Amino acid sequence: MEYNFNELEPKWQAWWRDNQTYKVDIDGSKPHFYVLDMFPYPSGAGLHVGHPLGYIASDIYARYKRLRGYNVLHPMGYDAYGLPAEQYAIQTGQHPAVTTEHNIARYREQLDKIGFSFDWSREVRTCDPSYYKWTQWTFIQLFNSYYCNQASQARPIAELVDVFAKQGTEGLDVACTEQLSFSADEWNSWDAAKRSQVLMNYRLAYLADIPVNWCAELGTVLANDEVVGGVSVRGGYPVERKLMRQWSLRITAYAQRLVDGLDQVDWTDSLKEIQRNWIGRSEGAAVWFPIKGCGDQQAAFEIFTTRPDTIFGVTFMVLCPEHELISSITTPDRKTEVEDYVAWAKNRSERERQAEVKKVSGVFTGAYAINPLTNEQIPIWVSDYVLAGYGTGAIMAVPAHDSRDFAFARHFELPIRQVVAPEPDAVSDPATWDESLDSKTGYSVNSGFVSGMKVKEAMAAVINKIEEMGIGRRTVNYRLRDAIFSRQRYWGEPFPVYYKNGIPCTIPEQCLPLELPEVKDFKPTATGEPPLGHAEIWAWDEKNCKVVNKNLIDNETVFPLELSTMPGFAGSSGYYMRYMDPHNNNAYFSKDAVDYWQNVDLYVGGAEHGTGHLIYARFWNKFLFDLGLAVREEPFQKLINQGMIQGRSNFVYRSKTDNNLFISKNVESRPANTVPIHVDINIVDNDVLDIERFRQWRPEFKDAKFELEDGKYICGWEVEKMSKSMFNVQNPDDLVARYGADTLRLYEMFLGPIEQAKPWDTNGIEGVFRFLKKFWRLYDNVSTAEPTKAELKILHQTIKKVTEDIERFSFNTSVSTFMICANDLTAAKTDKMAVLEPLVVLIAPFAPHIAEELWHRLGHTESVCAAQWPKCDEQYLVEDSFTYPVSFNGKMRFTISLPASVSQTEAIAAVTSSPDCQKWLAGATPKKVIFVPKKIINIVY
RNA sequence: GCGGAUAUGGCGUAAUUGGUAGCCGCGCCAGACUUAGGAUCUGGUUCCGAAAGGAGUGGGGGUUCAAAUCCCCCUAUCCGCACCA
């Protein structure tokens, strides 16, 4: 029988679909396991071979867990909202919903061909109203919550309202935008508008004027993780800082829990580190510095430092250009210069600023602060190396021990004073230094009461002192910023928000979903409003709880609705929970479902989401946890990052003198006389060019001539990004058509460790294909004869190795193991049922189609998915004898074969009395004999 | 600049976690069966050397009877963050 994958694969794919083989429900009699892939954004380009890499790995694990008796939830869906479909709509007028629907159909077709075991009855799409209903619902809960620092959890905002009415802000310890202070009387005297404004300071979803990343080209704001190097991740358009009124999520309230949670999950260290860096927790102190002679009042400003121990070395202060104090403290003679500088700094784009990090700029305000510990006067400067967004936007500069302060001091010839030294007496003149001494190891010097202390002790001593004096406190700062949640775009979730005479209100939960309205035009309106400004039916009738035409707005019962939509990460932050109970119309997910499935046991996806989706989803989940909905605080227990698949481009070499002549890669004269040009990898096989297809590829090559080597044209290659313009995109469908899905699956795994980035290279796929054909042939005539001990050994070795490999996600070595097994069995000419049957189960996670076919041929009527994972019987692995290499002083000299049953002493005796050993020892007594069971015997003499 | 990772044949990789380096696959070489083969099977293939032998896991040092594996110092590549006080 020939291995006819073209017939067999569609047959079983249809059979699985018709029998709902992968449909899963809550089943208390079985242990649960949840395997999740990062759902794809359905782009117009379709899948390339990089996409399925992670899906294949997770599918193998999901199938394996099923065979081990687990009830496995393995769903798939689409992250369907996003910019490309909208950009396409702007260009062509085609509705994003149509584009998205079309792309999803294409994705589904491609995915189905690879034979995944997804439970498609649980599919979710973020753009589906029955799904985004719950995205909107979560937003309303965030809006109606504040974060209590004492309880370390989100609480209903109503509680806070009660507190304000009773005691104002007295004793309050909650997350907020700025520290407010008011009494109960004040609160009670305020009107609804003022109270709403104050509450915005505390809500977890809040509206505020904040500096945002504005991308004019895309017409929208972007989150920090959507901007890299001053340009947008999508499109690479310039991004500027701009103050805008935007919805934000107070993710900073969860900063500490986001750091702590990393210790509870099984992720790679590198990804945990990426998240820790992004959150950027740093411990230090906040200190108030009074300003000298600022009227009668003792004005002061707060700084943040991680080096309180260096406070005796402060020689100037620096405020960021946005600092509110600048205008009031600047002396009249410095006014023009300072104003010019501030204006210049504000007008610089983010890209310019980042590009010129090394350039030192700044200006003196003319004002002085007082060092609270030394009473010295310290000049106050303004410079853009101090950032408004971090700490308090003001620093105490210690040029001797901070490289940036050092550069600034050198540039403006400000004094530098050493207050830390590697040894208590190792003090030198900072004027002779080439760089600052930033290390935190060493001793304080010239530092009053902390002189002589180690840096760590000095830090604690200074903090204690300033706390005692009431001018500062120990504090923690985070680099993490609140997440900007508004996008001035069409294709996203509408906010369930309307504006009642300026006061934002959420629509009642029972009215959800608030469906995305139709618009005539996907561009911003003439007045600069977001695209939803074009929608006619887009106003909220409060009385009747429904969306109505916006010309009915009277601001008494009918109000305008929010025109922004939510960002891409809104829909992807909680989709994994929705899969647990995707059709529930009364809740995000039922209590039964979450109690059973708990959280995602295994999540597979790219590390590029480390500072975006994977942070937002953790935040979202912690919030759901605080609401009592999620039962586990961390959403993704184990995370595997599949490496990026790069492209492997092929080149032909065109002669510089003859445009029609192409010279093969290894022809000696080639390098100097040719230019490489990209050639489509689909007309190259193992770096050998298909000359006929090349001539047909493009009209200008139709008369191409070739200088060959060994009768072949050999192409050059290089690793580049996989992209259409490099002609190196490998489409999985082509490979499925040529080799079958099982070969593609095995080959993608065989390519190398799952976490490693690697170029796509089809050169080895033949080997995997040969293996499957060889495996198939093993089943030509299956006999019921008893297998030999040797055959059973091969089987049980394979069971052991494959099981271990899957458990540690080392799928490339499992494929090797299968190949060794097939080679061994072919050599042994095995046709024994008892050996071959378990092997079908073993290979089923990797090559489900061939396994299903063989399983049925062996007489089963149920799916191989219902089989049991074979057990390894160790008795077959025990060796009769072992061959020990014997070495002298570490050098291998001879080997000796001994029965497996001999003891250590017997083995050593056998070796030392052997003629070979006697020869080497030459009568000497061994100093030491090292015996490593089943490995080696080593003699030191 | 800071942080993380990686480095093994012509290529992708493996090494029971300190125990005979190079499994498996590609490619290449030779052979068998074939009218033929983009089919199948067998053998060989780290390098130098005709061989005996020697060298060898990016480079240098160290620990150890024994190091690809552990420690120190370099070098290169990739990734993340980047004026974060």
Side-chain angles (χ1 to χ4, degrees), chain A residues 38 262 265-278 603 605-612 614-615 618 639-641 755:
Chain A
M38 289 185 186
L262 291 173
V265 292
D266 184 9
W267 296 13
T268 61
D269 289 339
S270 79
L271 192 67
K272 285 185 184 183
E273 212 45 43
I274 287 172
Q275 290 217 339
R276 284 198 192 99
N277 287 343
W278 187 258
Y603 197 24
E608 66 271 19
H609 297 108
T611 55
L614 287 171
I615 291 254
R618 291 181 61 219
L639 181 78
I640 300 267
N641 295 120
E755 306 213 4

Side-chain angles (χ1 to χ4, degrees), chain A residues 640-932:
Chain A
I640 300 267
N641 295 120
Q642 91 269 26
M644 280 254 277
I645 297 276
Q646 298 136 302
R648 185 181 188 276
S649 312
N650 276 118
F651 296 89
V652 291
Y653 300 94
R654 171 147 68 184
S655 162
K656 283 177 184 165
T657 50
D658 180 352
N659 264 349
N660 262 336
L661 180 65
F662 295 87
I663 303 178
S664 188
K665 182 181 170 228
N666 301 312
V667 173
E668 218 168 296
S669 61
R670 195 270 305 164
N673 302 317
T674 57
V675 281
I677 47 179
H678 278 96
V679 59
D680 190 339
I681 56 162
N682 291 300
I683 59 172
V684 178
D685 197 5
N686 268 340
D687 294 337
V688 178
L689 183 70
D690 184 328
I691 287 171
E692 270 322 299
R693 289 176 69 193
F694 178 74
R695 288 195 176 114
Q696 292 157 15
W697 183 42
R698 301 181 132 199
E700 70 254 43
F701 298 144
K702 73 177 187 326
D703 300 317
K705 295 171 293 181
F706 300 91
E707 194 174 328
L708 306 176
E709 50 182 303
D710 303 332
K712 288 185 273 195
Y713 188 95
I714 308 290
C715 298
W717 60 272
E718 220 167 278
V719 173
E720 295 175 302
K721 201 177 163 267
M722 198 174 272
S723 106
K724 269 185 185 168
S725 62
M726 320 253 193
F727 303 106
N728 62 7
V729 174
Q730 181 75 61
N731 175 307
D733 309 56
D734 296 344
L735 293 170
V736 169
R738 191 161 163 194
Y739 298 103
D742 285 339
T743 298
L744 175 72
R745 291 171 62 107
L746 280 168
Y747 185 60
E748 290 227 13
M749 292 302 102
F750 185 67
L751 220 44
I754 187 81
E755 306 213 4
Q756 209 167 83
K758 52 215 162 221
W760 177 260
D761 180 353
T762 318
N763 287 351
I765 199 168
E766 292 284 348
V768 173
F769 188 48
R770 271 175 216 151
F771 154 72
L772 274 183
K773 285 189 282 193
K774 187 182 279 187
F775 189 80
W776 176 260
R777 276 197 305 273
L778 286 172
Y779 292 80
D780 276 349
N781 297 296
V782 177
S783 83
T784 51
E786 280 296 307
T788 64
K789 220 179 158 192
E791 288 166 340
L792 286 169
K793 186 178 167 189
I794 296 168
L795 169 68
H796 286 275
Q797 264 175 349
T798 308
I799 296 173
K800 184 163 192 261
K801 189 72 182 4
V802 169
T803 308
E804 283 169 2
D805 287 341
I806 295 179
E807 289 287 0
R808 59 191 177 107
F809 299 93
S810 180
F811 300 127
N812 56 330
T813 54
S814 352
V815 179
S816 294
T817 307
F818 282 126
M819 289 181 176
I820 296 166
C821 176
N823 288 346
D824 289 351
L825 292 182
T826 302
K829 294 194 170 36
T830 292
D831 56 0
K832 314 286 167 47
M833 180 82 169
V835 173
L836 296 178
E837 194 176 35
L839 281 177
V840 175
V841 181
L842 225 48
I843 207 167
F846 296 84
H849 308 88
I850 197 172
E852 195 73 85
E853 173 72 24
L854 294 173
W855 188 247
H856 284 256
R857 281 180 187 225
L858 292 178
H860 299 274
T861 51
E862 283 216 317
S863 168
V864 68
C865 301
Q868 267 208 354
W869 190 254
K871 273 208 174 64
C872 168
D873 192 337
E874 300 269 349
Q875 66 159 306
Y876 297 110
L877 304 182
V878 176
E879 304 276 348
D880 294 333
S881 66
F882 284 103
T883 304
Y884 291 88
V886 180
S887 76
F888 292 87
N889 286 354
K891 288 268 186 187
M892 289 305 156
R893 294 304 177 182
F894 67 94
T895 58
I896 185 165
S897 199
L898 297 171
S901 55
V902 300
S903 69
Q904 176 170 338
T905 13
E906 286 165 342
I908 293 171
V911 169
T912 44
S913 61
S914 72
D916 279 319
C917 186
Q918 290 301 318
K919 193 178 97 194
W920 278 101
L921 289 174
T925 346
K927 260 193 212 148
K928 204 181 344 175
V929 179
I930 293 121
F931 177 84
V932 181

Side-chain angles (χ1 to χ4, degrees), chain A residues 100-128:
Chain A
T100 305
E101 184 70 36
H102 177 263
N103 291 348
I104 285 177
R106 169 94 181 100
Y107 265 59
R108 178 62 191 274
E109 193 190 327
Q110 288 187 294
L111 289 171
D112 280 348
K113 279 187 187 165
I114 303 173
F116 293 117
S117 63
F118 296 128
D119 176 359
W120 283 105
S121 74
R122 290 174 182 261
E123 175 187 322
V124 302
R125 298 177 186 190
T126 53
C127 66
D128 185 339

